[in-house]
Amino acid sequence: MTKPITRPEAGTADPFLWLEDRTSKQSLDWVHSQNEITVGELQGDPSYQASFQTALDLMTAEDNIAVGAAIAGHVYNFWQDKTNALGLWRRTTVASYKTEKPVWETIIDFDQLAAKEGIKWVFSGASRLYPDFSRCLLSMSPDGGDASEMREFDIQTRSFIEGGFHAPASKSGFSWLDKDTVIVSAAFEEADKTESGYPRVIKLWKRGTKLEDATPIFEAKTEDLAAGAGVEFDGEKRHVFLARALDFFTSHSFLHLPSGENRRVPLPDDATDTSLFKDQLLFGVRSPWTAPDGTVCQPDGLYSLDFAHWIETGSFGAIETLLAPAYRVSIAGIARTQDRLFISLMDNVRGKVVVCERRDGAWSKKPVALPENGTVGISHAEHFGSSVSFSFTDFLTPSSIIWSDDDGETLETVKSQPARFDASPLISEQFEARSKDGTMIPYFVVRRRDQKGPVPTLLYGYGGFEVPLLPGYAGVRGRLWLEKGNAYVQACIRGGGEFGPAWHQAALKGNRQNGFDDFAAVAEDVVRRGIATARSLGIQGGSNGGLLTGVSLTQHPELFGAVIIEVPLLDMLRYTELPPGASWMAEYGDPSKPEDVKWLSAYSPYQHVRADAAYPPVLLTTSTADDRVHPGHARKMAARLQETGHARTLFFEETEGGHGGRGDRRPQAAQTAMKYIFLQRALSAGA
């Protein structure tokens, strides 16, 4: 058991605070020396080159599925392969997309653009102008981080608009109001930003004027998470919505009226799954809410109200129940075509989709005839048309795209990824583990059907921000891990979104330990079933999942034979000091408050490293360009582990790619190969 600690007193020195300086010479010298050791250790392994090549081949294979969205007769796709390292933004006709070999038109070649401008631009998306969608506000990151530069671009001429809208790299947001007006969610100057570093002020920017002269129309508070804006079309009706995000899970929504008034939409602060369809405003709630008409809205349900009536009268009418809550069924997403609404659901971590219509003032709904017992998602829904596509996969079934041109009535599988590994000897199973407080925690196991005894096993988890972990096909994992006779386990711990808001809230703030206990319970259950031994069981997690594996290392080192901690949060007593850490206080708590410090200090991994603990081998990874989770967390944890005598600690920091490792696939393939080599070497002896 670890000993509880208190928040360090003012003036208490953190010996590795200097590693929080992202780009200082001292910090980067330390990073380069650590990278040299890790690269020598893992890339020096005889199996590395073949593993790297396999990973790169699969990540850049020409027969990977080109996932795209249809707009005005074209399917748009972003594509990377060995020739196009930074990628192509391209399009093809819908008819061509459905063929085995579509004929693609390149809109932007980012490798050519990088060569011309000397910057490795990473595509971050584009906002297209209604109704012909040929003009767009193109966002590009100079280093793969979240901050992006915006430039106006003409898709027809495939060129940037000279003298058009252009904004420097920032975390700002841009959307069209009309062809001569852009709605800017501004985060340029410090006065524009919230404490979390996100947009605070919404402005209207007129063509031909300077960005700094844009007219403010809305402001959030400095302590809020962010302000956001966007245009929503409902048929021919155009609505401008503004939002003041109080934190990750609560917000106030406003309708910007032609008069200039910003009218608050009086939904509860924790409303979720909002969408506008056929004059109906749809919404869900994270906690029970009694509507003005007396309707009690419950989490995991979906409700609707007459939005046109509210605009006219300022009051809600009757609330209708579109989808009633059901046990272990949660809403995964909502999308709409011009005439139909699609609701993606998770039923005990298995997917399905319901299609809804609104006729004569009433709702009707029916299931979409999609494959069962896998992960089903809505790939795209054409807002101004009738095309919709769905994805289907599970751990052993390659991904496929199922397309419909008639609102889900007629379905056709138009894309199927080839098998990347031999799944015939494998089986996918779902089990449950009993957590410390008695809650049953589902988890999946993928292993050989004829497994006779413990094998090297990788346990993956996340458990935060209401994000679910769902079954999915991964060719690299199949080739570099499962084909070697190893097993893979995926845990659906509390804190995630597998079973809706209540599952998330059960590990929120002061209840965070529940999620850590869930993960430990799954690990113990895997060992009890004989799938692995503690020494042959490795764990991996990134971002919030990196916090999970960091806590697992310091609380239960005896349960694991190897630990991978990716782009993590680890110093939970200083996380709000490292931008944009303040944005996560609704998830973790506020370390400036004594009552919150009590639970944060009880588990914060950085403060719980012990010299006398028997830690298994550890690999920590991060990115210099990560502007979402600061690299200082991983750096300091690695330094502290090494200083306290834990020599089997390796650290690797990529110099570009941001939090999600975007950009060139070669560094991603190299890091992936290193991680599997690290696991194989550490766990094989314990099987």
Side-chain angles (χ1 to χ4, degrees):
M1 291 290 291
T2 54
K3 297 179 180 179
I5 64 171
T6 57
R7 182 174 172 82
E9 297 177 358
T12 299
D14 177 347
F16 301 112
L17 199 63
W18 55 275
L19 285 170
E20 292 182 1
D21 191 330
R22 187 188 300 269
T23 57
S24 73
K25 183 179 185 301
Q26 185 183 19
S27 292
L28 292 180
D29 284 348
W30 180 88
V31 167
H32 295 322
S33 67
Q34 291 288 324
N35 283 358
E36 186 176 355
I37 294 169
T38 301
V39 166
E41 179 78 14
L42 298 178
Q43 293 192 14
D45 187 278
S47 65
Y48 168 76
Q49 193 56 44
S51 296
F52 163 73
Q53 197 60 53
T54 296
L56 183 61
D57 288 346
L58 294 178
M59 289 178 179
T60 59
E62 292 186 5
D63 57 0
N64 281 335
I65 290 180
V67 178
I71 300 175
H74 284 90
V75 175
Y76 290 79
N77 163 260
F78 179 69
W79 180 259
Q80 290 173 282
D81 55 29
K82 289 178 182 175
T83 304
N84 304 285
L86 294 176
L88 305 172
W89 189 35
R90 59 187 191 172
R91 72 178 185 176
T92 188
T93 64
V94 172
S96 181
Y97 178 75
K98 294 178 182 179
T99 66
E100 187 175 344
K101 293 186 177 181
V103 178
W104 293 96
E105 306 171 49
T106 297
I107 301 171
I108 297 182
D109 183 324
F110 284 94
D111 293 277
Q112 288 185 4
L113 184 64
K116 178 182 177 181
E117 300 190 355
I119 299 174
K120 288 186 176 181
W121 291 112
V122 176
F123 181 52
S124 300
S127 172
R128 274 157 285 199
L129 177 61
Y130 172 86
D132 60 9
F133 306 106
S134 62
R135 286 285 180 101
C136 66
L137 304 173
L138 184 78
S139 294
M140 309 179 297
S141 169
D143 58 8
D146 290 348
S148 295
E149 180 175 313
M150 184 279 286
R151 301 184 199 176
E152 187 177 1
F153 186 85
D154 189 308
I155 293 174
Q156 297 293 344
T157 63
R158 297 172 179 77
S159 61
F160 293 107
I161 305 299
E162 187 175 348
F165 291 107
H166 184 191
S170 72
K171 292 188 177 182
S172 303
F174 306 90
S175 58
W176 293 102
L177 179 61
D178 56 48
K179 65 183 178 63
D180 292 318
T181 314
V182 170
I183 305 173
V184 183
S185 303
F188 301 104
E189 307 298 330
E190 287 306 311
D192 290 337
K193 300 177 184 177
T194 64
E195 291 176 355
S196 298
Y198 292 112
R200 187 187 66 82
V201 183
I202 308 299
K203 304 178 181 181
L204 293 183
W205 183 14
K206 290 291 185 180
R207 186 178 297 281
T209 65
K210 295 180 180 180
L211 175 58
E212 53 266 34
D213 295 332
T215 304
I217 60 169
F218 183 78
E219 293 188 12
K221 294 183 178 180
T222 304
E223 62 269 25
D224 290 342
L225 171 62
V231 174
E232 181 80 16
F233 284 90
D234 187 18
E236 295 299 316
K237 298 177 182 178
R238 183 184 68 176
H239 301 287
V240 178
F241 284 98
L242 310 173
R244 176 187 163 208
L246 309 182
D247 55 45
F248 251 90
F249 312 109
T250 60
S251 65
H252 294 167
S253 182
F254 298 81
L255 182 66
H256 183 69
L257 298 173
S259 65
E261 175 193 354
N262 297 325
R263 185 193 293 178
R264 169 84 188 276
V265 183
L267 291 173
D269 290 358
D270 65 352
T272 184
D273 299 315
T274 55
S275 183
L276 196 58
F277 178 73
K278 301 285 187 181
D279 282 334
Q280 292 288 303
L281 178 63
L282 293 99
F283 67 95
V285 292
R286 290 186 171 92
S287 56
W289 177 67
T290 302
D293 72 338
T295 300
V296 179
C297 303
Q298 297 286 355
D300 299 318
L302 191 63
Y303 305 89
S304 75
L305 58 89
D306 189 332
F307 194 61
H309 173 79
W310 175 77
I311 292 175
E312 183 179 346
T313 67
S315 63
F316 288 165
I319 303 294
E320 297 180 62
T321 300
L322 175 55
L323 198 70
Y327 178 68
R328 288 210 162 179
V329 176
S330 60
I331 298 169
I334 299 174
R336 56 158 297 180
T337 59
Q338 186 167 284
D339 295 316
R340 288 190 174 180
L341 181 81
F342 295 85
I343 307 170
S344 177
L345 301 172
M346 289 180 295
D347 187 345
N348 199 25
V349 205
R350 287 173 168 81
K352 60 184 180 181
V353 176
V354 174
V355 58
C356 308
E357 287 187 282
R358 181 78 178 177
R359 289 182 179 175
D360 300 324
W363 289 105
S364 64
K365 60 181 183 289
K366 64 181 180 181
V368 180
L370 295 166
E372 299 180 347
N373 298 319
T375 298
V376 176
I378 303 170
S379 291
H380 97 282
E382 190 175 8
H383 194 90
F384 299 98
S386 57
S387 74
V388 59
S389 62
F390 309 93
S391 60
F392 178 81
T393 185
D394 59 35
F395 289 116
L396 302 178
T397 304
S399 302
S400 60
I401 297 294
I402 302 167
W403 190 277
S404 173
D405 286 317
D406 54 6
D407 288 318
E409 288 295 320
T410 305
L411 301 170
E412 176 189 4
T413 299
V414 297
K415 303 290 175 189
S416 295
Q417 183 176 315
R420 301 305 193 194
F421 59 91
D422 182 8
S424 60
L426 302 175
I427 187 172
S428 174
E429 303 165 287
Q430 188 176 20
F431 299 115
E432 288 188 326
R434 185 178 299 277
S435 193
K436 188 175 182 179
D437 65 356
T439 302
M440 301 307 293
I441 309 301
Y443 67 93
F444 294 94
V445 177
V446 184
R447 56 174 172 165
R448 286 188 64 89
R449 188 178 284 102
D450 61 357
Q451 182 183 338
K452 302 300 182 188
V455 297
T457 300
L458 171 59
L459 167 60
Y460 189 86
Y462 184 77
F465 294 93
E466 211 172 312
V467 174
L469 284 186
L470 305 174
Y473 190 83
V476 175
R477 182 174 65 221
R479 288 283 293 280
L480 297 186
W481 190 249
L482 294 173
E483 278 195 348
K484 297 180 186 298
N486 303 322
Y488 174 75
V489 179
Q490 191 164 287
C492 303
I493 65 175
R494 285 174 287 182
E498 289 84 357
F499 303 117
W503 194 251
H504 167 241
Q505 292 160 12
L508 198 63
K509 291 187 175 181
N511 295 322
R512 201 90 199 158
Q513 187 61 44
N514 284 336
F516 305 142
D517 290 342
D518 295 351
F519 199 61
V522 170
E524 291 171 333
D525 203 58
V526 166
V527 171
R528 183 183 63 80
R529 293 179 186 275
I531 297 167
T533 65
R535 289 185 60 200
S536 75
L537 180 61
I539 56 174
Q540 180 181 14
S543 193
N544 175 77
L547 172 62
L548 170 66
T549 53
V551 171
S552 299
L553 171 71
T554 54
Q555 291 190 353
H556 294 288
E558 76 285 354
L559 293 182
F560 312 110
V563 177
I564 296 179
I565 303 171
E566 303 168 300
V567 291
L569 290 87
L570 293 167
D571 185 350
M572 299 306 291
L573 301 186
R574 274 188 58 78
Y575 84 91
T576 54
E577 306 299 320
L578 300 175
S583 64
W584 308 318
M585 287 192 290
E587 180 78 13
Y588 302 118
D590 183 352
S592 70
K593 296 180 179 178
E595 61 270 29
D596 292 11
V597 167
K598 185 177 180 180
W599 68 65
L600 289 166
S601 63
Y603 70 75
S604 181
Y606 181 62
Q607 285 78 17
H608 279 279
V609 173
R610 293 167 38 206
D612 61 347
Y615 294 136
V618 182
L619 173 61
L620 295 107
T621 67
T622 188
S623 168
T624 312
D626 191 341
D627 54 0
R628 196 177 312 170
V629 177
H630 196 286
H633 286 278
R635 292 174 178 179
K636 295 199 309 178
M637 186 72 169
R640 174 156 284 182
L641 283 164
Q642 292 170 355
E643 183 208 34
T644 50
H646 302 290
R648 297 186 296 173
T649 299
L650 295 174
F651 173 90
F652 183 79
E653 181 169 319
E654 192 55 70
T655 56
E656 58 187 41
H659 188 63
R662 299 186 303 152
D664 193 334
R665 294 294 178 89
R666 288 167 293 194
Q668 299 172 37
Q671 199 171 136
T672 298
M674 287 194 293
K675 288 170 183 174
Y676 280 117
I677 286 169
F678 169 79
L679 289 168
Q680 195 72 55
R681 290 170 58 164
L683 302 178
S684 292

